[in-house]
Amino acid sequence: MLAIFRGRGGAGDTTGHSPGTKWTAFNAIAEHLDYGRRYTTRTNQVQRSFEDTSRKQRALDLVAAA
């Protein structure tokens, strides 16, 4: 997640025009949760990115409170 936050993730620099911000921190966590974990099939990855929202909500709460 730190590599993604710093713009050095597997997909390249995804920080956009807001490097180092809370928004970039949340996006790094969400990107890791959606694409950084191993899944048995591609369908499971897509499905979990929509269904597994509790971790993303917790991340948003923590980043917003920082």
Side-chain angles (χ1 to χ4, degrees), residues 23-52:
W23 180 247
T24 304
F26 172 71
N27 279 334
I29 295 167
E31 184 176 330
H32 173 73
L33 291 173
D34 286 346
Y35 304 108
R37 299 182 292 168
R38 294 181 186 255
Y39 297 94
T40 56
T41 65
R42 180 87 172 139
T43 305
N44 288 344
Q45 179 184 11
V46 172
Q47 182 179 357
R48 284 191 70 184
S49 70
F50 288 106
E51 292 177 353
D52 188 14

Side-chain angles (χ1 to χ4, degrees), residues 25-26 29-30 33 54-65:
F26 172 71
I29 295 167
L33 291 173
S54 62
R55 289 182 179 180
K56 291 179 197 171
Q57 185 60 52
R58 176 79 173 131
L60 182 60
D61 293 342
L62 289 172
V63 169

